[in-house]
């Protein structure tokens, strides 16, 4: 009887740990002293969160400060979540107000460029409907909707994804029982409660509303099936956004709010809410506005002179003049904020140095978020600006969990700055070659890293709206996050072109050891040249050696060493000795073979990144290892002969050493424009 009891205790213990790791919840029974992230008009007033007042063209945002882990452990499915809040809308006493508010899940607490009116302070005409927004929105709208067809009557509730067109919409009401509906006027000056529930297993969203005096109805107002996994990022922020317009305005209040991950949100204690204070009438406000206008007219001339002086100063000094490439770029930071964040670009904050600039760790004073600030350095101002623009154009609109996220940029005088997510564990290169004890990457971590890089390259090559050629895949451009996942960064050399077209680049760029041999002849980068660099990276991760080891008497080429070991019938002699033979033989054999195949001298012999993913996931068997003996010298002889048949021999591989020692075709090595970083 002792053994079952012991097993039951262990089971309960591990279950509690799992549930604890998945838990995330909070409750606000009023907002006094709360730590919400507020933006725009939003403020705390008399224990209530006030998003807007009844002024024209006002926007207010409020977010819970901590990001929510949206995905289950080791799962691609969005976690179940539930939120409950109480709101009150106070319209203008002259006519009905507007425009409403929205509950949102956003990858950031900053909604840059958002407009009021029908956009509810969430989006604008240029980004409305784009899949890169990663926004889940439930709107509580009080005027004729953004989409006249679906929201024609106003006073409605809608579910939106990435834009203001509702995928489901209903007039505000609630069910009494399961059949009879009662209308709810969102502007009836009384508190209303709302529930938003998402079932991650069934992939179903339910939205329910009712007056504060009515308990949660059994039947939801809106219930649709939608998979939110493509919309959600790993971490999202929950919050509210409200807006007024030019002719219509209301005060929007949130009185209480709760949210829970993997469970139903906690009930709110209505007794702790404070009544909404009486607001001034429109006539009183108009009198106040007239008085303010008279007062402001006294100093208007001085203000105009000041603005004119600033304009002339910037025009003459040519500071902050926007160029064409700047117009469609992501958020622009103020140089002052980045200077403060990096403590004046102090040397102690440097976390990386490359050929194109220095990277500093920074902490944004407004949000407390950690960022990495890359300061571009170039003697050639035009070239530096060109590389700067290339990185913004490419990385600024890319969104993938295995790519470094570009938050924004800054251009001030001769300073060119890029702001990224801070990735705490540094580069793959630093971890591979670190001499510190306890920093050796395990084989499990290495295999996970190379699969992550492959996933990021597949997104760049085939899954984004354009083809992106990175052109500088290497270990120092792979950053490792807190969970030891890989993120490919540094897009300063990247080039974009449309699917179905060919790249037009004609200069050889990249880093010695990772440059595909055909680049030295044609100068044209392609998806295949990225695959070549990825193949070298595979061998580097497996062997713990740089692609080229420079020595006084001769240069040791990594590919040559692996082929030597292959000729000696033991390819595992090339494996990183730091692993102490602690690795999965089949996986190591796969990585070494795939690395050699990806770095084949002939581009047409290399696999695509989609094929690479299939090999790494064991969906397909690498041709070299198909139908082999299980073990022994016979298997080794078969592998060696198959590599030879594929053209992978010492004399057929064009290595970096051959670039320096001889000419290729009629072009000498001295004519190459090779950029190493």
């Amino acid at each position: 009887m002792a053994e079952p009891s012991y097993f039951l205790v262990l089971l309960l213990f591990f279950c509690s740990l799992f549930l604890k790791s998945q838990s995330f919840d909070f409750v606000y029974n009023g907002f006094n002293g709360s730590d919400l992230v507020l933006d725009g008009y939003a403020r705390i007033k008399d224990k209530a969160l006030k998003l807007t007042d009844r002024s024209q063209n006002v926007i207010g945002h409020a977010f819970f400060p901590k990001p929510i882990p949206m995905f289950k452990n080791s799962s691609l499915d969005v976690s179940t979540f539930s939120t409950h809040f109480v709101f009150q809308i106070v319209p203008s006493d002259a006519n009905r107000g507007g425009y409403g508010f929205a509950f949102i899940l956003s990858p950031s607490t900053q909604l840059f460029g958002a407009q009021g009116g029908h956009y509810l302070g969430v989006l604008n005409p240029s980004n409305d409907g784009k899949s890169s927004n990663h926004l889940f929105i439930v709107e509580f709208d009080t005027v004729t909707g953004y989409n006249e067809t679906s929201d024609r009557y106003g006073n409605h509730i809608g579910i939106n994804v990435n834009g203001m067109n509702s995928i489901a919409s209903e007039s505000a009401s609630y069910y009494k029982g399961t059949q009879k509906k009662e209308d709810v006027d969102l502007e009836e000056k009384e508190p209303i409660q709302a529930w938003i529930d998402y079932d991650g297993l069934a992939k179903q969203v339910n939205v329910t509303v009712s007056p504060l005096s009515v308990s949660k109805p059994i039947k939801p107002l809106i219930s649709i099936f939608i998979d939110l996994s493509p919309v959600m990022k790993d971490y999202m922020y929950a919050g509210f956004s409200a807006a007024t317009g030019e002719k219509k305005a209301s005060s929007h209040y949130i009185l209480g709010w709760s949210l829970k991950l993997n469970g139903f949100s906690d009930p709110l204690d209505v007794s702790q809410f404070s009544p909404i204070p009486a607001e001034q009438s429109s006539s009183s406000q108009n009198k106040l506005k007239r008085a303010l206008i008279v007062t402001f007219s006294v100093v208007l001339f001085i203000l105009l002179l000041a603005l004119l002086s600033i304009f002339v100063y910037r025009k003459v000094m040519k500071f902050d003049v926007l160029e064409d490439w700047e117009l469609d770029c992501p958020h622009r930071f103020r140089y002052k904020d980045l200077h403060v964040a990096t403590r004046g670009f102090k040397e102690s904050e440097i976390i990386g140095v490359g050929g194109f600039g220095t990277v500093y760790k920074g902490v944004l004073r407004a949000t407390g978020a950690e960022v990495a600030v890359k300061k571009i350095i170039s003697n050639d101002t035009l070239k530096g600006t060109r590389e700067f623009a290339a990185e913004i154009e490419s990385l600024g609109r890319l969104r993938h969990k295995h790519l470094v996220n570009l938050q924004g940029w800054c251009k001030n005088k001769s300073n060119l700055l890029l702001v990224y997510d801070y990735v705490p564990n540094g580069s793959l290169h630093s971890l591979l070659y670190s001499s510190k004890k306890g920093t050796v990457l395990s084989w499990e971590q290495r295999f996970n890293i190379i699969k992550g890089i492959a996933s990021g390259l597949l997104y760049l090559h085939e899954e984004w709206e354009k083809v992106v050629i990175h052109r500088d895949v290497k270990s120092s451009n792979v950053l490792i996050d807190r969970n030891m996942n890989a993120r490919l960064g540094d897009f300063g050399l990247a080039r974009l072109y449309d699917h179905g077209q060919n790249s037009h680049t004609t200069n050889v760029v990249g880093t010695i050891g990772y440059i595909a041999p055909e680049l030295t002849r044609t100068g044209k980068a392609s998806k295949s040249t990225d695959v070549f660099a990825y193949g070298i990276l595979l061998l580097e991760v497996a062997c713990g050696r740089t692609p080229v080891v420079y020595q006084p008497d001769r240069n040791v080429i990594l590919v040559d060493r692996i082929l030597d070991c292959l000729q000696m019938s033991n390819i595992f002699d090339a494996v990183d000795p730091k692993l102490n033979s602690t690795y999965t033989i089949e996986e190591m054999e796969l990585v070494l073979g795939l690395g050699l195949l990806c770095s084949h001298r002939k581009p047409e012999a290399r696999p695509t990144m989609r094929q690479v993913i299939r090999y790494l996931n064991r969906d397909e068997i690498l041709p070299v290892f198909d139908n082999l003996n299980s073990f022994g010298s016979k298997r080794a002889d078969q592998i060696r002969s198959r590599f030879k048949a594929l053209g992978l021999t010492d004399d057929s591989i064009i290595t970096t050493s051959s670039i320096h020692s001889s000419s290729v075709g009629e072009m000498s090595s001295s004519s190459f424009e090779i950029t190493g970083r």
Side-chain angles (χ1 to χ4, degrees):
M1 295 298 292
E3 290 183 356
S5 300
Y6 178 73
F7 173 79
L8 180 60
V9 171
L10 283 178
L11 180 62
L12 292 174
F13 174 74
F14 285 113
C15 287
S16 66
L17 288 179
F18 175 78
L19 293 174
K20 183 178 180 181
S21 66
Q22 296 295 303
S23 65
F24 183 98
D25 64 295
F26 59 82
V27 179
Y28 290 104
N29 292 305
F31 294 90
N32 262 7
S34 67
D35 54 352
L36 297 179
V37 177
L38 305 179
D39 184 42
Y41 177 88
R43 62 198 62 186
I44 306 299
K45 184 175 182 180
D46 297 321
K47 293 184 67 177
L49 168 59
K50 188 175 184 181
L51 295 171
T52 71
D53 64 2
R54 294 186 292 182
S55 302
Q56 295 177 346
N57 298 317
V58 171
I59 295 175
H61 302 140
F63 286 90
F64 185 73
K66 296 180 181 179
I68 303 173
M70 297 306 301
F71 288 84
K72 303 176 182 177
N73 286 346
S74 303
S75 173
L76 298 178
D77 292 328
V78 174
S79 298
T80 295
F81 64 86
S82 173
T83 187
H84 175 207
F85 53 89
V86 176
F87 65 90
Q88 186 169 343
I89 300 176
V90 182
S92 168
D93 56 355
N95 48 43
R96 293 186 66 85
Y99 274 78
F101 76 99
F103 168 82
I104 55 178
L105 291 175
S106 166
S108 172
T109 60
Q110 301 295 316
L111 301 176
F112 300 108
Q115 294 185 7
H118 287 300
Y119 292 98
L120 300 182
V122 181
L123 294 163
N124 60 57
S126 65
N127 64 1
D128 183 28
K130 290 188 175 181
S131 60
S132 58
N133 293 332
H134 293 283
L135 289 172
F136 172 71
I137 306 167
V138 178
E139 62 176 58
F140 298 78
D141 209 341
T142 58
V143 300
T144 301
Y146 168 79
N147 185 322
E148 296 291 339
T149 301
S150 62
D151 301 337
R152 58 186 299 185
Y153 299 113
N155 194 57
H156 67 275
I157 298 169
I159 297 176
N160 306 354
V161 172
N162 293 323
M164 301 312 297
N165 276 323
S166 298
I167 59 177
S169 177
E170 289 286 346
S171 296
S173 56
Y174 68 99
Y175 282 94
K176 299 182 70 174
T178 58
Q179 300 296 326
K180 185 178 179 181
K181 290 174 70 174
E182 292 284 342
D183 290 337
V184 174
D185 187 351
L186 299 179
E187 293 182 314
E188 59 187 0
K189 299 184 180 180
E190 294 296 329
I192 299 170
Q193 53 186 338
W195 296 264
I196 302 170
D197 304 306
Y198 178 70
D199 187 337
L201 184 62
K203 296 178 174 53
Q204 182 177 12
V205 176
N206 292 334
V207 178
T208 311
V209 296
S210 72
L212 188 60
S213 58
V214 177
S215 58
K216 184 178 181 180
I218 298 175
K219 183 177 180 180
L221 173 63
I222 304 175
S223 182
I224 64 168
F225 291 94
I226 178 173
D227 184 3
L228 293 182
S229 58
V231 182
M232 298 293 103
K233 296 181 77 79
D234 290 345
Y235 290 88
M236 302 286 283
Y237 290 88
F240 300 92
S241 175
T244 64
E246 292 184 359
K247 297 181 179 180
K248 296 183 178 182
S250 297
S251 294
H252 298 89
Y253 292 89
I254 306 295
L255 306 182
W257 180 25
S258 68
L259 184 146
K260 177 173 286 189
L261 207 61
N262 298 317
F264 288 102
S265 55
D266 294 328
L268 298 173
D269 186 356
V270 178
S271 64
Q272 296 188 42
F273 295 175
S274 296
I276 298 300
E279 299 194 11
Q280 288 184 328
S281 66
S282 297
S283 58
S284 300
Q285 289 182 339
N286 290 335
K287 291 179 181 179
L288 179 60
K289 289 179 180 178
R290 285 195 293 269
L292 291 174
I293 290 173
V294 172
T295 303
F296 288 150
S297 63
V298 177
V299 295
L300 181 60
F301 181 73
I302 298 174
L303 291 176
L304 288 174
L305 283 179
L307 291 173
L308 182 61
S309 299
I310 294 173
F311 176 80
V312 172
Y313 176 77
R314 289 187 173 181
K315 199 71 175 176
V316 172
M317 301 302 291
K318 298 181 180 180
F319 290 173
D320 294 327
V321 179
L322 292 180
E323 302 173 18
D324 292 340
W325 60 267
E326 299 178 65
L327 299 177
D328 296 324
C329 293
H331 172 56
R332 185 177 189 179
F333 284 88
R334 294 191 308 172
Y335 180 78
K336 178 182 177 181
D337 293 338
L338 298 183
H339 190 271
V340 172
T342 58
R343 299 170 63 191
F345 298 101
K346 199 172 182 180
E347 286 191 10
S348 60
E349 303 303 309
I350 294 177
I351 56 177
V353 178
F356 282 104
T358 304
V359 182
Y360 299 82
K361 179 182 177 181
V363 179
L364 298 177
R365 184 169 58 180
T367 63
E370 294 181 324
V371 293
V373 182
K374 179 180 179 182
K375 193 172 186 180
I376 305 295
I377 299 174
S378 177
N379 295 328
D380 183 350
T381 303
L382 178 61
K383 183 177 181 180
T385 302
R386 184 170 64 248
E387 304 295 345
F388 178 80
E391 193 146 1
I392 293 178
E393 181 185 11
S394 56
L395 188 57
R397 292 181 288 127
L398 298 172
R399 288 295 180 269
H400 191 272
K401 64 181 179 180
H402 291 296
L403 300 181
V404 177
N405 180 36
L406 177 66
Q407 293 190 13
W409 59 280
C410 174
K411 184 165 74 77
N412 175 270
K413 302 181 182 178
S414 60
N415 296 302
L416 305 176
L417 305 168
L418 295 171
V419 182
Y420 303 92
D421 287 343
Y422 174 66
V423 185
N425 284 326
S427 71
L428 174 61
H429 183 276
S430 64
L431 293 177
L432 281 175
Y433 306 112
S434 175
S435 59
K436 296 180 180 178
K437 290 185 178 180
T439 59
V440 176
L441 287 173
S442 67
W443 175 246
E444 182 182 2
Q445 291 172 328
R446 298 187 195 202
F447 195 68
N448 181 61
I449 286 169
I450 60 178
K451 289 177 69 175
I453 302 168
S455 176
L457 283 173
L458 175 62
Y459 172 78
L460 296 177
H461 289 181
E462 300 184 25
E463 295 178 347
W464 195 51
E465 62 190 46
K466 288 181 177 290
V467 177
V468 181
I469 306 301
H470 187 279
R471 300 208 300 170
D472 202 15
V473 176
K474 59 181 180 180
S475 58
S476 59
N477 283 343
V478 175
L479 302 181
I480 310 301
D481 65 17
R482 298 182 190 277
N483 298 318
M484 298 305 293
N485 293 316
R487 292 196 182 189
L488 182 62
D490 205 335
F491 282 66
L493 298 181
R495 291 293 179 267
L496 287 75
Y497 59 89
D498 292 328
H499 288 280
Q501 296 185 356
N502 294 321
S503 171
H504 299 294
T505 57
T506 56
N507 59 324
V508 181
V509 296
T511 300
I512 295 294
Y514 300 89
I515 300 174
E518 67 269 19
L519 268 176
T520 63
R521 298 190 300 272
T522 66
K524 290 188 177 181
S526 65
K527 290 185 281 188
S528 185
T529 58
D530 272 0
V531 172
F532 180 92
Y534 176 75
I536 298 298
L537 182 62
L538 286 178
L539 302 178
E540 183 180 3
V541 171
C543 301
R545 291 173 175 263
T546 58
V548 183
V549 178
Y550 297 99
Q551 296 181 351
D553 52 341
R554 67 185 183 92
N555 296 334
V556 180
I557 309 301
L558 177 58
V559 175
D560 293 345
R561 170 172 170 75
I562 296 172
L563 291 173
D564 286 342
C565 294
L566 183 64
Q567 293 287 350
M568 298 300 293
S569 300
N570 192 356
I571 196 172
F572 296 110
D573 285 346
V575 173
D576 188 353
K578 290 183 180 178
L579 290 173
N580 290 323
S581 299
T582 306
Y583 53 83
T584 304
I585 293 177
E586 292 80 5
E587 290 179 349
M588 180 62 73
E589 193 175 59
L590 170 63
V591 170
L592 291 171
L594 185 57
L596 289 174
L597 188 60
C598 288
S599 56
H600 197 287
R601 64 187 180 89
K602 294 182 179 180
E604 62 272 17
R606 301 170 198 154
T608 65
M609 289 312 302
R610 188 170 296 280
Q611 288 175 305
V612 168
I613 291 288
R614 292 186 65 82
Y615 292 143
L616 291 174
N617 289 335
R618 302 298 182 88
D619 296 328
E620 291 183 15
I621 299 176
L622 196 66
V624 176
F625 303 120
D626 192 12
N627 298 323
L628 287 173
N629 291 301
S630 299
F631 60 91
S633 59
K634 186 175 181 181
R635 173 184 172 90
D637 291 340
Q638 286 179 301
I639 293 174
R640 185 170 65 254
S641 63
R642 291 188 180 186
F643 273 122
K644 286 184 178 181
L646 290 172
L648 294 169
T649 61
D650 286 327
D651 56 353
S652 64
I653 293 289
I654 297 179
T655 61
T656 308
S657 60
S658 65
I659 294 176
H660 289 280
S661 60
S662 64
S663 62
V664 179
E666 297 181 357
M667 184 180 292
S668 66
S669 61
S670 61
S671 66
F672 298 156
E673 182 187 348
I674 298 177
T675 303
R677 293 193 286 168

